[in-house]
Amino acid sequence: MGIGKYFGGVWKIFASITLTLFILSVIIYGLDLNVSQPETNKQTITSHLENERSTRHYFELNDSICFVVDTEEAKEDRVVTMKSYTTNFVPFCYFCGYNRGTYRYEYGIYIDEPYMYGDFVYTKIPYDYDDGEIPFGSFQTYNFKTGKDGYVEQLEDIGPDAANNKYRVTEDYLLENNGLISYYENESCQIAFGVIFVLVAGLLLGAMIGVPIRVYRFRKQAKKEAQGES
């Protein structure tokens, strides 16, 4: 019977179900991935991965800020936003995307339709309400050298011609100068692997309790059989 006899039939059934779910989840969420920019240090599993079917692609500015390009956008310039990100939760980062956004979930930065002038990323869209931190009508900024976000009341405070459209961040610029990062954006992926990890934890707990009991029973039975033969 081998070592498998110590786990029991019920445990083996649940282990088979868990393994099947894991394989299906890897196929569904993992094989829809293509390798790109393998030289980057933002890795999932063994290589840098980006979801091939995703309409959004994430380009690294630094270790906490990225640009988002939506390939379904009809506009010629498809850079949608600049936003902050951090490492995704372990162990989900190894299956669903190495990084995750911070905006709206914890302190983070979000700038729509970004421009870049010198060390600043900013928007020409005036802030449309006063939240106590950024005044109404001002312009959000982020200094990627100092890591500080803030605002200016006049775009000229950034540079004399900062309003010029030539400073708009473009997809071509990002493709040439910035690397893609692996990014989580599929909630169902984390739900699927969350269920799998709970099942694995249950299997480990069941093995820790059940295997010693079975070992004891088998040894006791073997001892009785040995005594009967003598």
Side-chain angles (χ1 to χ4, degrees):
M1 295 177 64
I3 195 171
K5 67 181 181 179
Y6 296 112
F7 290 92
V10 175
W11 190 95
K12 292 177 185 178
I13 291 172
F14 276 99
S16 299
I17 293 172
T18 302
L19 179 60
T20 301
L21 289 175
F22 176 77
I23 293 173
L24 288 175
S25 295
V26 169
I27 291 173
I28 293 170
Y29 301 107
L31 296 186
D32 178 41
L33 296 170
N34 71 297
V35 177
S36 74
Q37 304 289 335
E39 68 277 5
T40 182
N41 61 359
K42 299 293 184 294
Q43 297 184 350
T44 57
I45 308 176
T46 59
S47 62
H48 173 79
L49 302 173
E50 177 175 314
N51 194 295
E52 191 172 30
R53 292 188 308 189
S54 173
T55 63
R56 291 197 167 199
H57 306 280
Y58 300 83
F59 292 84
E60 177 185 27
L61 176 61
N62 55 35
D63 287 339
S64 61
I65 299 295
C66 66
F67 292 104
V68 186
V69 176
D70 193 329
T71 58
E72 283 192 342
E73 284 290 302
K75 293 180 292 186
E76 181 179 346
D77 185 352
R78 299 190 299 194
V79 177
V80 179
T81 57
M82 183 214 81
K83 63 189 300 185
S84 53
Y85 70 93
T86 187
T87 304
N88 198 5
F89 301 107
V90 176
F92 300 106
C93 58
Y94 299 110
F95 301 97
C96 301
Y98 193 83
N99 302 289
R100 62 180 176 86
T102 59
Y103 182 69
R104 291 180 180 162
Y105 296 98
E106 54 205 87
Y107 178 77
I109 304 166
Y110 182 97
I111 293 180
D112 202 15
E113 298 186 15
Y115 286 67
M116 187 181 294
Y117 187 104
D119 296 340
F120 284 92
V121 178
Y122 59 98
T123 181
K124 287 169 53 176
I125 304 173
Y127 212 63
D128 57 2
Y129 66 98
D130 191 341
D131 60 4
E133 296 182 2
I134 301 178
F136 178 85
S138 60
F139 303 91
Q140 287 180 274
T141 64
Y142 173 76
N143 187 315
F144 57 85
K145 287 292 179 66
T146 64
K148 301 294 184 181
D149 60 302
Y151 66 90
V152 292
E153 294 185 356
Q154 305 285 338
L155 289 176
E156 288 76 12
D157 295 338
I158 298 174
D161 61 341
N164 195 309
N165 284 336
K166 69 180 181 180
Y167 297 113
R168 177 71 185 269
V169 179
T170 65
E171 183 179 11
D172 289 340
Y173 174 85
L174 295 176
L175 287 169
E176 183 177 348
N177 295 279
N178 298 71
L180 286 161
I181 62 173
S182 173
Y183 196 94
Y184 151 72
E185 59 177 13
N186 193 332
E187 185 177 0
S188 59
C189 178
Q190 295 204 165
I191 292 173
F193 281 100
V195 171
I196 291 168
F197 298 143
V198 170
L199 289 174
V200 169
L203 287 170
L204 292 174
L205 180 61
M208 291 172 61
I209 296 173
V211 169
I213 293 175
R214 284 181 167 272
V215 168
Y216 172 77
R217 287 177 178 175
F218 286 135
R219 287 180 177 177
K220 186 175 181 180
Q221 182 180 355
K223 186 177 181 181
K224 285 182 179 180
E225 291 176 352
Q227 290 175 348
E229 291 177 359
S230 62

